[in-house]
Amino acid sequence: MSSDEAQITRRSVGDVEVIRLQGDVDFAIADDVREALCAAGADVVVVDLGPIDFIDSAGLRALDRANRELCVAGRTLALVAPPASRAAFTFRVAGFSSDGVHDSVDAVQQRVIRS
């Protein structure tokens, strides 16, 4: 799947907004990803990376920038990358803390409910 086939979809699940990414999250779509995450209206924004085929440094940078912008606004960005996904592998290689990466959207919802 090439960058022009990448998809960004949005849905509300309870008190969170879920942004689902598919395809390649690379330089060609990185700005769109950051904008979609920052434009979400919920206090908790979940980015579901399970279906992605690839994420490069521009994609990682877009997630980091969105996280920083949301934090400044008092909002939370939660990353979802199932353990066997390509995103989870990339996060492990890049040294992301496993504390900030969740296995599923349901896991994030349960955490929000407990908060």
Side-chain angles (χ1 to χ4, degrees), residues 55-80:
I55 185 166
D56 69 1
S57 61
L60 293 174
R61 198 167 36 257
L63 295 175
D64 180 58
R65 286 182 56 206
N67 182 53
R68 290 171 192 261
E69 289 178 36
L70 290 169
C71 283
V72 167
R75 299 164 59 205
T76 301
L77 179 65
L79 304 175
V80 171

Side-chain angles (χ1 to χ4, degrees), residues 3 9 25 27 35 38-39 47 50 53 55 66 68 75 87 89 94 96 99 102 104 107 110 113:
S3 297
T9 57
V25 180
F27 70 93
E35 289 171 10
C38 291
V47 58
D53 296 322
I55 185 166
R68 290 171 192 261
R75 299 164 59 205
F89 173 78
F96 275 52
D99 294 343
H102 306 275
S104 68
Q110 291 303 314
I113 290 169

Side-chain angles (χ1 to χ4, degrees), residues 4-76:
D4 60 345
E5 296 177 33
Q7 293 181 338
I8 302 171
T9 57
R10 169 188 321 255
R11 65 187 168 98
S12 292
V13 179
D15 293 335
V16 303
E17 191 160 343
V18 179
I19 308 295
R20 186 170 193 245
L21 305 179
Q22 291 180 258
D24 293 352
V25 180
D26 59 14
F27 70 93
I29 194 171
D31 286 338
D32 294 337
V33 168
R34 185 194 56 75
E35 289 171 10
L37 295 173
C38 291
D43 287 339
V44 177
V45 179
V46 177
V47 58
D48 181 359
L49 296 151
I52 68 167
D53 296 322
F54 172 80
I55 185 166
D56 69 1
S57 61
L60 293 174
R61 198 167 36 257
L63 295 175
D64 180 58
R65 286 182 56 206
N67 182 53
R68 290 171 192 261
E69 289 178 36
L70 290 169
C71 283
V72 167
R75 299 164 59 205
T76 301

